[in-house]
Amino acid sequence: MDNGSSLYSPASPAENEPDTCDSPSMDDGLVDAFGGLASLPVEVGERRPTCLRCRRPQKVCLCPFLPPQPLEVSTCLYIVQHPAEESRVLRTVPLLAACLPQGKCNVIVGRRFSEDRHPELAAVCRDSRTLILYPGSKSQNLEELVQNQGEGSVERNVIIIDGTWSQAKNMFLKNSLFHLPQQVQLNTQYVMSSQYVIRTQPSNICLSTLECAAVALSILEQNNDIQEVLLRPLKALCSFQLQHGAQVHHSKEHLLKNGMYDKPMPKNKRKIKRMEKLVTDHNDCPSN
């Protein structure tokens, strides 16, 4: 019998006997073909050196656009970050943290926050000086709050949810701790269009986390220069990306209003209403 043909024929008693043929079997051939791969050296990809301050690759370091010294502020920020934001390459929170003193920009990553697992965050939420920046019918304009508090300065804590629209909304609704602080929002009449043009925003007035923090800090600290200083590295980041092939991202609101939205419209009625709301309502947009 031809040994080669026995590899593809049904099993027979004769095939169960020890193979005394000198010709190699298919298994031996596979070992010969691929066994040598195990002895090859493994090439470990070297990660690009990262700047310790701005957290960007050193070749595209943004430190020249950061303030020489961290900004002196009395307000303490707590950035509650959705886990998906950690893996994004073009994040704004590291730039924000690089502009502020240590301890003034605290990043807490997660989806669910309980008093047992996050006692420090819970204590901040229960502090009467704490505000949570999230728009809605219960939110007070931050400018009005500062005007009504009089001349005496209050060292505030501000919680900002860092995520997409749906992520931020889900985190706010499903975490009872976030309903304890006073809820505030930015006055939409004075909010500029987002400078974060390399990422799509839901509407024209939606801002990145860094931009929300910049506006809020300038109001609370009563210093308009803060906003300009904090936005400088963001503008530099976007400019660099656009020079190297990135495209300007218009908001979904802009695309819908101008007939430029080229994606299939959702079939879900709730999603359709949400899309319609982008065109008609400017008071329902968190940071991202």
Side-chain angles (χ1 to χ4, degrees):
M1 178 188 283
D2 187 339
N3 278 331
S5 64
S6 70
L7 294 172
Y8 303 98
S9 63
S12 63
E15 292 171 12
N16 294 328
E17 297 176 359
D19 188 4
T20 58
C21 180
D22 293 333
S23 61
S25 67
M26 175 174 282
D27 290 342
D28 293 336
L30 291 174
V31 171
D32 291 340
F34 297 103
L37 294 177
S39 62
L40 293 177
V42 178
E43 294 184 4
V44 180
E46 294 184 3
R47 297 187 63 180
R48 291 185 295 176
T50 302
C51 174
L52 295 178
R53 186 180 182 195
C54 69
R55 303 296 179 182
R56 296 276 297 160
Q58 289 182 357
K59 288 187 177 181
V60 288
C61 174
L62 294 176
C63 286
F65 303 95
L66 300 177
Q69 299 295 328
L71 296 175
E72 291 296 331
V73 294
S74 61
T75 307
C76 191
L77 300 180
Y78 290 85
I79 309 298
V80 183
Q81 188 177 78
H82 190 279
E85 288 295 314
E86 281 190 297
S87 60
R88 293 187 183 275
V89 177
L90 303 175
R91 296 174 295 162
T92 65
V93 171
L95 297 178
L96 172 63
C99 294
L100 299 175
Q102 188 174 4
K104 291 297 184 179
C105 183
N106 305 282
V107 181
I108 308 168
V109 180
R111 291 185 179 89
R112 300 289 180 268
F113 302 91
S114 65
E115 193 152 6
D116 293 337
R117 296 181 61 185
H118 300 87
E120 293 183 6
L121 178 61
V124 171
C125 290
R126 294 185 182 281
D127 192 326
S128 61
R129 300 170 301 167
T130 300
L131 308 172
I132 184 165
L133 188 60
Y134 189 87
S137 58
K138 297 181 180 179
S139 294
Q140 181 181 2
N141 284 339
L142 185 58
E143 297 89 337
E144 295 177 0
L145 177 70
V146 173
Q147 291 173 1
N148 294 336
Q149 75 181 14
E151 296 183 0
S153 60
V154 179
E155 294 186 0
R156 296 284 187 178
N157 304 312
V158 179
I159 298 173
I160 303 177
I161 303 176
D162 182 35
T164 64
W165 156 245
S166 58
Q167 290 167 352
K169 183 177 182 180
N170 189 54
M171 289 170 66
F172 179 78
L173 294 177
K174 294 189 176 182
N175 286 285
S176 57
L177 285 178
F178 297 160
H179 298 186
L180 297 177
Q182 183 173 356
Q183 193 173 333
V184 295
Q185 63 187 4
L186 303 177
N187 192 331
T188 57
Q189 295 180 357
Y190 303 105
V191 173
M192 70 293 187
S193 296
S194 176
Q195 303 294 308
Y196 196 24
V197 295
I198 54 176
R199 186 169 173 183
T200 303
Q201 306 290 351
S203 76
N204 292 336
I205 62 165
C206 286
L207 304 177
S208 67
T209 301
L210 183 148
E211 290 171 308
C212 284
V215 176
L217 285 175
S218 65
I219 295 171
L220 290 169
E221 303 289 328
Q222 301 183 35
N223 183 352
N224 292 330
D225 292 339
I226 290 177
Q227 182 173 336
E228 181 181 348
V229 172
L230 291 179
L231 292 184
R232 195 175 299 148
L234 177 65
K235 293 178 181 178
L237 170 64
C238 293
S239 176
F240 177 84
Q241 294 299 129
L242 292 174
Q243 290 173 17
H244 290 80
Q247 300 294 319
V248 173
H249 288 227
H250 295 291
S251 69
K252 288 183 181 178
E253 176 192 351
H254 176 89
L255 297 176
L256 287 167
K257 282 184 175 181
N258 292 277
M260 299 165 61
Y261 192 77
D262 56 1
K263 295 182 179 179
M265 294 297 289
K267 296 181 181 180
N268 185 292
K269 290 184 179 180
R270 291 179 62 184
K271 291 184 177 180
I272 293 175
K273 288 183 178 180
R274 192 183 304 164
M275 298 281 277
E276 292 173 347
K277 197 173 184 181
L278 286 177
V279 182
T280 59
D281 189 0
H282 285 170
N283 298 316
D284 201 16
C285 184
S287 61
N288 66 13

